[in-house]
Each structure stands twice: as structure tokens, then as C-alpha cells.
Amino acid sequence: MAGDETPDPFAQLADWAAQTERRERRKRRWSKVGRTAPWVLTAGVLAVLLALAVPRMFSAKPGVADDAYPKAVVPSGITVTTSESATPTDPFAGTPAATYPKGAAGITLPRAAAVTGFSAAEVDKDLKQVRQALIVGRLDDMMLIRHDPKRLIALLAPNQRKPAAGWFTSRKFSGVATWIDPSVKLDPREDPRVKGRVTYGSAMVDGLRTLRVTTNFIFVYAFAGPDHPLAAVHTEIVWEFPSNKSGMWAGDSTSYSAWVDCTAANRGLLAPTRPEAAPRPSDSEDPNALLEADHSLDIKDEC
């Protein structure tokens, strides 16, 4: 009889499996050799932090309190945070990404102003180059689907291009680019949702006056499939423009991916969590919090 029904524990188990989240954190530091002598090539240095996957057991809450997750530290300098928004639509509904701007509209640049050693015009040009690097690294199908990094590499300093090509052959590029696993497909109806901030300022680096631009953005991708799964990459990158005009350098980066399949992540690819993953108890935070644009990048690894 209606009203006498008891909850189906297996239905609840299926719901837990659908809400599992896995995360992976990577941090890398690239050598700064080559900035002062244009004929010296740089060498990449990689540090990868990985751990075993622990899926989320409990279904995500519809919202996250402002103080319910660790926040990222904003570097000093002139900064701006994404100000555009979008109308909530599936499959992003119920997540923080529901109102994030679509695609490149989420990459907002601060007003260009003169800083020590750099004119406003130089700052404007360099900021636009950084924005282009974010677009070709995270939103361009040539990178996402075809796994072709030529456009991104061409934006880097000439002395960093050869080692940058090595990042991709060794699949140690997650700090600057996204490759979608060929076994899955992005939802053709949905652009990735993007939110974050850009900060810039003048700094002395290796004895050179340098324009330092720090970007911190989360990119949330929707995938085709009956459950309309999501996966996200959150990354902070330091981009540097030395005053010797040697070009744009991709510096230190820290990133994590969330709601991801660990097998794909370990191959440098992005795919959503497999729904058949067995749920296990976890005391980790609400999975929704990992899609917050101001979440700290210092997280517990689960891949």
C-alpha cells in the first residue's frame, strides 16, 4: 500500500555509486634556466603526487556553505575574478558550475595598468597572450580531442618550446592542458563551464625584472551519456614575461582534477568517474566543493 513502502537499500546504493568522486592532485616546477641566455634550452622537472582512489559514498549536498571548504590564497597584485554568469542548465544543475560562464567567456582579464618595468600596453599584450594560452590549452578541440599541442607550444618562449613538447610526449602536461580520454565523448550541446581569476604584478626573477601573471581557473566539462557526467580540472599557473623580451614562460603550476576516472588520470587523460565504481565510506568533503572556483588546490589525493 502507498505510505507503507520502505526505502530500497539497493536503490540508495546505486545513488551513492552515481555520486562517487575521485580526485587527483599534481604539482610541477619547471626549471628557469634559459631566461637570461636565449640560446640555452630549459629542462622540465616534474613532481607528481598520487594516492589510491577513495570514492565518495554519500550523495552531494545541493549547496556548500561559504566556510565548508578550504579557500585558495590570492597572490598580491592587480587581480580580477570572473564576473560573467550563465543560466543554470543540465548537466551542471545542482553544482557550483551551474552559473559559471560558458567557455572563454569565463576567462576575464583585469584592466591593464603600468607596473614597474612594464607599460600598460605591454601588460595588456601579455595578459591577452596568457588568456589565449588558457583557451588553446583547455577549451580548443585541437588540444582536447585531437591531442595536438602545437598552438599552445607556439605561444611559449622559443627556449621553452622544445621542453614543452616533451611534456606532451611524456604526458606530464596536466598543469597547462587537458586531453579528453578517447573512450568518452564531450557533450556536444554543452560548452565547458569556466570560472577563476587572473592576478598580475612586477617581480624580480633570477635577477630579471619580470611581469608575473598568476591564473587560477576551474574548467568543468560535461560528457555524453545517460547520466550526463561531469569532470573538472582546477589549476593555478604562474606565467612570466622577463624584461629581456625572451617571451612567455609557463612557470610553476599546481592542479587537481575532480570527479574523474583514475585509470584515465594516470594516463594523463580526463574522463568522468565510472558510475560502476563501488561506493566506500569516506570522510572527505562534499564533492560539490571541489567544483568551487576558489577552492584551495591543496587537497587530499585519491588517485
Side-chain angles (χ1 to χ4, degrees), residues 178-208:
T178 300
W179 281 5
I180 301 301
D181 189 330
S183 69
V184 296
K185 294 187 180 299
L186 291 171
D187 187 336
R189 302 166 301 174
E190 298 288 349
D191 291 327
R193 296 302 177 90
V194 183
K195 187 174 182 179
R197 56 174 163 75
V198 179
T199 304
Y200 71 88
S202 179
M204 291 298 295
V205 180
D206 296 340
L208 278 175

Side-chain angles (χ1 to χ4, degrees), residues 57-83:
M57 178 177 178
F58 302 103
S59 58
K61 301 180 180 67
V64 180
D66 289 342
D67 58 353
Y69 58 91
K71 304 289 182 68
V73 176
V74 180
S76 60
I78 301 171
T79 189
V80 70
T81 301
T82 302
S83 56

Side-chain angles (χ1 to χ4, degrees), residues 112-126:
V115 296
T116 302
F118 300 88
S119 68
E122 289 173 319
V123 171
D124 180 66
K125 177 177 177 291
D126 293 346

Side-chain angles (χ1 to χ4, degrees), residues 39-61:
W39 56 86
V40 180
L41 295 176
T42 61
V45 179
L46 171 70
V48 181
L49 305 178
L50 297 173
L52 294 177
V54 182
R56 175 76 179 182
M57 178 177 178
F58 302 103
S59 58
K61 301 180 180 67

Side-chain angles (χ1 to χ4, degrees), residues 46-235:
L46 171 70
V48 181
L49 305 178
L50 297 173
L52 294 177
V54 182
R56 175 76 179 182
M57 178 177 178
F58 302 103
S59 58
K61 301 180 180 67
V64 180
D66 289 342
D67 58 353
Y69 58 91
K71 304 289 182 68
V73 176
V74 180
S76 60
I78 301 171
T79 189
V80 70
T81 301
T82 302
S83 56
E84 298 289 333
S85 62
T87 302
T89 59
D90 289 330
F92 302 96
T95 76
T99 58
Y100 292 175
K102 297 180 179 181
I107 306 176
T108 305
L109 295 178
R111 178 182 61 86
V115 296
T116 302
F118 300 88
S119 68
E122 289 173 319
V123 171
D124 180 66
K125 177 177 177 291
D126 293 346
L127 288 175
K128 289 176 179 176
Q129 187 169 348
V130 167
R131 185 174 187 271
Q132 186 63 20
L134 294 174
I135 292 171
V136 301
R138 302 291 183 186
L139 300 173
D140 190 340
D141 280 353
M142 185 171 175
M143 180 71 80
L144 292 173
I145 309 302
R146 294 167 57 187
H147 300 175
D148 186 341
K150 286 198 296 286
R151 290 178 182 170
L152 177 61
I153 292 173
L155 292 171
L156 299 176
N159 284 357
Q160 197 177 31
R161 291 172 189 169
K162 183 175 180 179
W167 306 340
F168 291 91
T169 56
S170 60
R171 301 207 173 188
K172 297 175 181 178
F173 57 83
S174 62
V176 295
T178 300
W179 281 5
I180 301 301
D181 189 330
S183 69
V184 296
K185 294 187 180 299
L186 291 171
D187 187 336
R189 302 166 301 174
E190 298 288 349
D191 291 327
R193 296 302 177 90
V194 183
K195 187 174 182 179
R197 56 174 163 75
V198 179
T199 304
Y200 71 88
S202 179
M204 291 298 295
V205 180
D206 296 340
L208 278 175
R209 177 60 60 181
T210 300
L211 178 68
R212 173 173 285 171
V213 182
T214 304
T215 58
N216 186 313
F217 281 89
I218 190 162
F219 299 82
V220 186
Y221 303 88
F223 291 81
D227 297 323
H228 305 291
L230 304 178
V233 177
H234 189 180
T235 181

